Amino acid sequence: MDAGRQLAKRLESFAQRADVVVLGVPRGGVVVASEVATALGAPLDVFLSRKLGVPGQTELAFGAVSARGGRYLDEYILRTAAISAEQVEWITAEVRKELDRRACVYRGDRPPLDVSGKTVILIDDGVATGASVYAAIQALRQMQPARLVLAVPVAPASTWEWLRTVVDEIVCLDLPEPFAAVGGFYRNFTQVEDAEVVGLLERAVTIEKNGRSGC
């Protein structure tokens, strides 16, 4: 994908570094991330996260959780919405079940890449409001990466200004105004199927193994 190749050029300073890991947000973000990982010579994995919704107001998040064990809780929302500790744990468990199921679909029995102490490049195919990727960032922070870089092809300027305050570095190819929807800035924005994500991840594993063996 052209967007991934363009992002890779902006991320050249991370090429061929042993401490760099590329994570793609399913599904479209994995397509973009695959191009970046290949160009940088970095391992690729999928990053699954989901916001934790307030009971009765599921669009309002009181935190976020990842399939890898990371969890972020917004103490202010927890207090104002009077969410009990039991509710927090029950909702977390239900969300994590779904994330674990999706992780199994995408990764099979392969363990997730270890991001602790690494420079993580988190990639999506674009952001609009930024709420979902913010949830991913907060969950990922709990896994203690050394540095967190967000890279996306397109975003509204206002969202970019906000997200740049919650990551160590942000790379965005285009900040168009007015901004309608991410798909409007792609010539081809057809839905990415699970099978394509699985194929890209398996291809990355093969490349990584061959690289380590010197083949």
Side-chain angles (χ1 to χ4, degrees):
M1 176 181 280
D2 184 57
R5 290 189 287 271
Q6 289 188 50
L7 267 183
K9 291 179 182 178
R10 295 279 296 274
L11 295 163
E12 285 179 339
S13 61
F14 297 99
Q16 309 304 323
R17 282 177 41 178
D19 66 324
V20 172
V21 173
V22 176
L23 302 181
V25 178
R27 299 178 178 122
V30 177
V31 177
V32 179
S34 175
E35 294 286 347
V36 173
T38 299
L40 300 185
L44 171 70
D45 202 356
V46 62
F47 187 75
L48 290 156
S49 69
R50 182 171 289 184
K51 62 186 179 183
L52 300 170
V54 172
Q57 297 176 274
T58 53
E59 288 305 308
L60 176 61
F62 66 82
V65 66
S66 77
R68 303 172 180 215
R71 184 173 74 171
Y72 159 74
L73 298 176
D74 187 320
E75 296 296 337
Y76 175 77
I77 297 294
L78 288 175
R79 287 195 305 270
T80 56
I83 305 171
S84 69
E86 290 77 15
Q87 286 177 304
V88 169
E89 295 306 321
W90 185 84
I91 294 169
T92 296
E94 290 300 303
V95 170
R96 190 162 277 154
K97 280 180 189 177
E98 174 58 19
L99 290 178
D100 288 343
R101 184 195 67 79
R102 293 185 65 195
C104 185
V105 170
Y106 292 139
R107 198 183 288 119
D109 58 1
R110 294 191 305 274
L113 294 178
D114 181 14
V115 302
S116 176
K118 300 290 183 64
T119 293
V120 174
I121 303 176
L122 180 65
I123 297 178
D124 205 348
D125 55 8
V127 296
T129 67
S132 295
V133 76
Y134 177 77
I137 289 165
Q138 296 303 323
L140 186 54
R141 282 287 190 197
Q142 308 307 306
M143 302 165 69
Q144 301 182 323
R147 185 172 178 81
L148 181 52
V149 180
L150 175 64
V152 294
V154 64
S158 57
T159 300
W160 181 85
E161 288 289 347
W162 166 46
L163 291 176
R164 68 195 291 260
T165 67
V166 297
V167 293
D168 299 299
E169 184 177 343
I170 186 169
V171 175
C172 185
L173 299 176
D174 195 11
L175 301 168
E177 294 293 348
F179 190 99
V182 170
F185 301 98
Y186 282 83
R187 285 190 296 270
N188 179 8
F189 199 67
T190 54
Q191 181 172 313
V192 177
E193 301 297 334
D194 284 343
E196 183 174 356
V197 174
V198 171
L200 290 171
L201 293 173
E202 289 179 346
R203 173 176 171 269
V205 170
T206 300
I207 292 173
E208 183 72 6
K209 286 180 178 178
N210 289 342
R212 284 197 298 265
S213 65
C215 297

